[in-house]
Amino acid sequence: MKPPAFAYHDPATIEDAVGLLGRLDNARLLAGGQSLMPMLNMRYAFPDHLIDLNRIEALAGITEDDGRLRIGAMTRQRDIADHPLVQARLPLMIEALGHVGHRQTRNRGTIGGSLCHLDPAAELVAVAANLDAAIEIAGPAGTRMLAMAEFPAGFMTPAIEPDEMVTAVHLPLPARGHGYRFLEMARRHGDFAIVSVAVILALDPNGRIDHCAVTLGGAAAIPLRMPEAEAILADGDPGPALFKRAAATARAIEALEDAQVPAWYRRQIAETLMERALLAAHARAVEGSAA
C-alpha cells in the first residue's frame, strides 16, 4: 500500500518546525514513524504536509537536573534503554521498554512520538503517567510545561495546539532503593497490551509504604492512575492482604471493550496484574532498603 500524496519538509531547528506548523494547514510531524507510517500507508491519515523532525539535533538527548531526567522528544527508545542514567535511576522504564514492539521498532521509535500518538496501550505513556511526568511543549508563544495528568485530551488525542510540538519529557526520579514492576498481558510479545500495569513503591525506615504510584495502561481510553488503590496502600501495612485489597479497585474501572476483549475481562486482568506487580515491587523495595 502507498501513502496519500503530501509535501515533505525537513527543518533543522525547533523554531523552524514550529514556524512550519503555524503556516501549513493539515500538517503532521514525523518522529520515529513507527505509528505514523503504517497509518499513512493504510490511508488512516491524510496530511497535506509532513514535517520530518529527524534533522533537529536539539530534540534528542538525556540529562539530569535537580532530581529529574529530561529526555528529548526525538530520543530513540533503544538509546533510552541503553542510557546509564535511566538504567540506574529509572529501572521501571527499562522494564517497560522490553515490551515495546521489537528491537527494530525501538531502534527508530521515539519517546515523544509515543507520547503524542497516545495509544492507551503504549508502555511509555503508562510509565510517564506513573512517574508524574511533565511534558515540555514549544509553540509560537515559547515553551510551556504540561503535567502528564493533563496531557491526554481524549482517546489518542494530546492536549496540544496544532501549532505546538512536544520537545521533551521531564521525569521525577524516584527515591533510591525504591521498588518497581511493569507487567503486561498481550497476545504475543511485542503486540499491543490488552492491559499493562506500572508500579512504583518506596518504603520508610519502618518498612511502611512512604510513596506509591499505580497506573493501568490499555485498560481505558487514557492511562489510568489508580488513586483509590494508592490511598489503600498508603494507609496500611504492606503485605499480600493489603495488595489484594488495593488490586480489587480495578473492578470499578470503566474499561475498554472491543470485538476481541470484553470490558469484564480487562478488569479481571487488571486486578490480577496489579496484585502481582505490587507484590514484586514491594519485594524489590525491601531488597533496596536492605542494600
Side-chain angles (χ1 to χ4, degrees):
M1 299 178 72
K2 296 181 180 180
F6 55 80
Y8 174 79
H9 310 266
D10 60 339
T13 68
I14 294 172
E15 293 75 18
D16 289 344
V18 170
L20 287 169
L21 285 173
R23 294 196 306 272
L24 303 174
D25 291 328
N26 191 25
R28 291 291 294 265
L29 296 173
L30 173 66
Q34 300 305 291
S35 299
L36 180 57
M37 295 312 297
M39 290 175 67
L40 291 174
N41 288 336
M42 290 187 285
R43 302 298 178 99
Y44 289 149
F46 294 84
D48 293 317
H49 300 272
L50 197 65
I51 303 173
D52 190 342
L53 303 178
N54 282 271
R55 286 209 305 136
I56 305 178
E57 295 182 3
L59 285 176
I62 301 174
T63 56
E64 180 182 5
D65 181 44
D66 195 26
R68 300 168 73 89
L69 279 190
R70 180 188 184 276
I71 305 180
M74 284 296 293
T75 308
R76 308 290 176 186
Q77 295 159 359
R78 174 71 181 279
D79 292 335
I80 296 171
D82 289 344
H83 200 282
L85 268 176
V86 182
Q87 292 174 350
R89 302 301 307 277
L90 279 181
L92 176 70
M93 180 167 281
I94 301 297
E95 201 160 74
L97 281 166
H99 294 274
V100 177
H102 302 280
R103 182 181 295 269
Q104 294 90 334
T105 56
R106 294 192 294 270
N107 286 344
R108 293 296 303 170
T110 65
I111 188 169
S114 181
L115 292 178
C116 290
H117 188 58
L118 210 57
D119 190 314
E123 291 81 3
L124 292 182
V125 172
V127 170
N130 190 255
L131 294 171
D132 294 314
I135 311 301
E136 181 184 304
I137 301 166
T143 300
R144 66 184 178 103
M145 301 294 289
L146 185 64
M148 183 61 195
E150 301 172 7
F151 187 65
F155 180 71
M156 296 181 73
T157 305
I160 56 177
E161 299 299 325
D163 57 358
E164 291 183 319
M165 58 183 283
V166 170
T167 51
V169 55
H170 296 249
L171 300 166
L173 293 171
R176 293 185 183 275
H178 68 276
Y180 63 93
R181 190 69 169 111
F182 187 94
L183 291 175
E184 173 176 306
M185 180 176 178
R187 290 182 179 85
R188 296 168 298 183
H189 182 79
D191 280 5
F192 291 109
I194 297 172
V195 175
S196 66
V197 59
V199 170
I200 288 285
L201 192 150
L203 303 177
D204 67 17
N206 297 317
R208 294 179 64 86
I209 296 173
D210 182 55
H211 168 76
C212 61
V214 182
T215 304
L216 293 177
I222 62 174
L224 287 182
R225 278 292 289 268
M226 300 294 290
E228 296 87 356
E230 292 171 7
I232 290 170
L233 293 166
D235 194 36
D237 293 320
L242 182 70
F243 300 151
K244 189 175 188 67
R245 187 156 63 92
T249 61
R251 299 172 189 173
I253 66 172
E254 188 174 339
L256 287 173
E257 182 158 4
D258 54 48
Q260 286 76 40
V261 185
W264 67 264
Y265 187 54
R266 276 197 166 90
R267 287 191 287 268
Q268 183 173 312
I269 296 170
E271 181 178 358
T272 300
L273 291 185
M274 278 177 62
E275 184 177 357
R276 292 176 182 176
L278 287 166
L279 285 165
H282 178 250
R284 284 170 166 170
V286 170
E287 183 179 345
S289 299

